[in-house]
Amino acid sequence: MAAVFLEDRYELTRRRFMQGVAALLPACFLPTGALLAQEAGIVTDVHCHVFNAHDLPVRGFVQRVVFGDAEATVVPHESPEVNRALAPWIGAVLVRQLLTGAAPSAEMELRTIEAQADAGIESAPSMDSDVATLAEALRATMSESFSQSFENLPAFERQVSGATAGYFMRRLAEEAGQSEDSLLSPEMGADPYSDMARSLLSGDGKISRYFRWAALFNSPRRKIVAEIERLFGGPDRVRLFTPALIDFSHWLDEEPRSNLESQIRVMERIQRLERRSMVHCFVAYDPWREVADQEIGGTNTALDLVKWAINDMGFIGVKLYPPMGFMPAGNEGSNLAYPERAGDIPQFTRKLDEALDNLFSWASSQGVPIMAHSADSNGAGPGYSGRASPANWKPVLLKYPELRLNLAHFGGFEKSVAGGEDWENIRVALVSSGAKNLFADVGFLSEILPDHSTPAEMQRLSAAFASYVTNSDPNVERLMFATDWIMLGQEAGFSDYFEVVDRFTQAAGITDEKRQRFLGGNAQRFLGLRNQEPARTRLEGYYQAKHMDAKRLQEFDI
């Protein structure tokens, strides 16, 4: 059947919040024994992000990635009705906070790094700068409510209404320790929004945590790298971070202020800064961008950009995001809907499949790892998140059994709660494909953080996870540690994620040698970092070209 091209209108209430999880193909093909004894590796965060606000299509990111259908769940332990009243207001403030903050562009940050001998982060926004940005975002958003003048707001933000403005204001005042009257009738010379912003950014309220999180996006990328290293790095903790860039622009119909090439250039330079841990990035690949580049006869297409990042810029893999609107294969002939503007490209779905197949063919032949979002979440349109299902990867794995693939976001086992089939179990069925290099990570397994699940929910989740380990992956050969930070930073208790995951997985039977494989050995096998493996060889050439000490790579051989 022909693809359906729909007008690209997707309301906030049509997509699930980030609660979907991906799953994992159990390791039935790899030998055990001597091989497994060699698989202890340095602890690796195989799935994280360090982009700032300049790297994002801000409005689409807030509406469709951060919130989705979060109007029912955005504030924990509140009723759906309360959350539906608050979510659009929180989103409206976030959009302004991200668009007007002091986040440096990729080009500006690269110039700053090159100009500073110590490559420090002196240009990071101060607390006063963050306060001023949030205060203005609050003031502008609330002034719309007072005047009932919503026509100047983007479509997403027009979902706010005067009827809920007062409630939002009261909740903010409560978290800031202020009275609502101080906002409505401030004393002469007082600036209630500045006082409120300062209190919100220094507090720990359920709403203000979003504003504190957004303030980090207004930092230089190297400060964000320093923060993830502070949170999760250390001698016995993460020593290799592999942050992924993203490219949502064509699907969200909104370009970031820093283009992908400039993001690659600044992150390459940040990779070379001296620090305790190593950093090597995943480059983003959007098949729609590749199709569009081919349509205009571009000499440097999206795939060319990927190859350049991998071969010359020290990047370690490729990030795909199917819930933006594509399946990894089989788009042509499907009965799927796509944004209306995609219909302007003749045979769009066939070209989409070709763009993806070209990536898989090259990545498989060169040993380049691919990380794909594989959770039923963050869809750019109605029903799009289901395109991330592991079942859709079967034809790819049949055609390219050597492909190194991480289907990210393992562990929620939530589909069966609603009577469906857990995506984890779909990965179990994929074993017949013969894929040799299929992995999964536990990034953003927020359900196990304190106060995120009821005792009954935790009991179900713990039992499902332990059963998976016992019955499907007894040697723990395919599961990898990951945080999905900076995205995880919106969750309460995120700073304890390493310890929480470690305790949870050990309780499920991931101990001793299994724990070493989970924390690092499996990631190094997925990435290809052992001596004479593809990524290792590429990195050795990169280190030599950039006059870096390649001896550090020998840590992967210990």
Side-chain angles (χ1 to χ4, degrees), residues 253-265:
D253 197 20
E254 180 186 355
E255 290 287 341
R257 288 166 289 173
S258 290
N259 64 34
L260 188 57
E261 180 181 344
S262 67
Q263 293 178 45
I264 293 170
R265 290 186 183 279

Side-chain angles (χ1 to χ4, degrees), residues 5 38 182 307 415:
F5 296 95
Q38 301 172 17
S182 68
K307 292 179 179 179
K415 290 289 186 180

Side-chain angles (χ1 to χ4, degrees), residues 364-377:
S364 180
S365 68
Q366 300 299 310
V368 175
I370 291 176
M371 171 169 53
H373 183 102
S374 191
D376 192 3
S377 61

Side-chain angles (χ1 to χ4, degrees), residues 311 528-544 553:
N311 291 326
L529 291 174
R530 299 295 187 187
N531 191 31
Q532 297 184 339
E533 286 188 311
R536 173 68 169 273
T537 301
R538 283 190 292 269
L539 287 182
E540 288 172 345
Y542 168 73
Y543 276 51
Q544 183 178 8
L553 298 173

Side-chain angles (χ1 to χ4, degrees), residues 101-328:
S105 70
E107 292 181 350
M108 179 185 297
E109 184 165 1
L110 181 57
R111 290 195 300 269
T112 301
I113 294 173
E114 296 291 1
Q116 293 177 352
D118 60 356
I121 54 174
E122 291 81 0
S123 62
S126 64
M127 179 65 169
D128 287 343
S129 174
D130 290 336
V131 167
T133 298
L134 178 56
E136 184 54 37
L138 291 167
R139 183 182 294 107
T141 301
M142 298 313 298
S143 68
E144 295 281 357
S145 73
F146 297 147
S147 66
Q148 296 289 296
S149 175
F150 300 109
E151 65 271 11
N152 294 323
L153 293 176
F156 162 54
E157 294 162 307
R158 288 191 200 123
Q159 296 180 63
V160 301
S161 68
T164 58
Y167 181 69
F168 177 65
M169 188 184 305
R170 284 194 298 275
R171 289 297 300 265
L172 286 183
E174 289 173 6
E175 288 198 8
Q178 294 177 269
S179 68
E180 186 180 356
D181 290 342
S182 68
L183 296 177
L184 295 173
S185 302
E187 296 181 4
M188 184 67 68
D191 185 357
Y193 288 109
S194 290
D195 293 341
M196 171 176 279
R198 189 173 299 277
S199 296
L200 293 174
L201 289 175
S202 60
D204 60 356
K206 296 177 181 179
I207 296 175
S208 58
R209 65 191 171 96
Y210 287 104
F211 306 143
R212 294 191 300 277
W213 179 56
L216 187 59
F217 283 84
N218 283 326
S219 303
R221 297 155 193 82
R222 62 200 186 282
K223 179 184 177 183
I224 299 173
V225 171
E227 181 67 4
I228 192 175
E229 187 176 48
R230 183 189 70 81
L231 287 167
F232 305 116
D236 298 320
R237 304 171 91 222
V238 177
R239 288 161 58 199
L240 171 64
F241 294 95
T242 60
L245 280 59
I246 59 170
D247 185 4
F248 299 161
S249 301
H250 278 71
W251 301 95
L252 300 181
D253 197 20
E254 180 186 355
E255 290 287 341
R257 288 166 289 173
S258 290
N259 64 34
L260 188 57
E261 180 181 344
S262 67
Q263 293 178 45
I264 293 170
R265 290 186 183 279
V266 72
M267 288 310 303
E268 185 280 322
R269 185 64 183 86
I270 289 172
Q271 289 174 164
R272 291 189 274 133
L273 297 179
E274 291 188 8
R275 60 174 57 85
R276 294 174 301 170
S277 59
M278 286 180 276
V279 174
H280 288 286
C281 299
F282 275 70
V283 61
Y285 180 73
D286 173 22
W288 189 345
R289 185 178 296 279
E290 172 69 7
V291 170
D293 289 344
Q294 293 281 358
E295 287 295 295
I296 63 173
T299 56
N300 292 308
T301 69
L303 185 56
D304 293 326
L305 204 62
V306 163
K307 292 179 179 179
W308 168 64
I310 297 294
N311 291 326
D312 299 330
M313 303 296 277
F315 278 52
I316 205 165
V318 182
K319 177 66 183 288
L320 281 177
Y321 218 91
M324 282 293 106
F326 60 89
M327 295 190 298

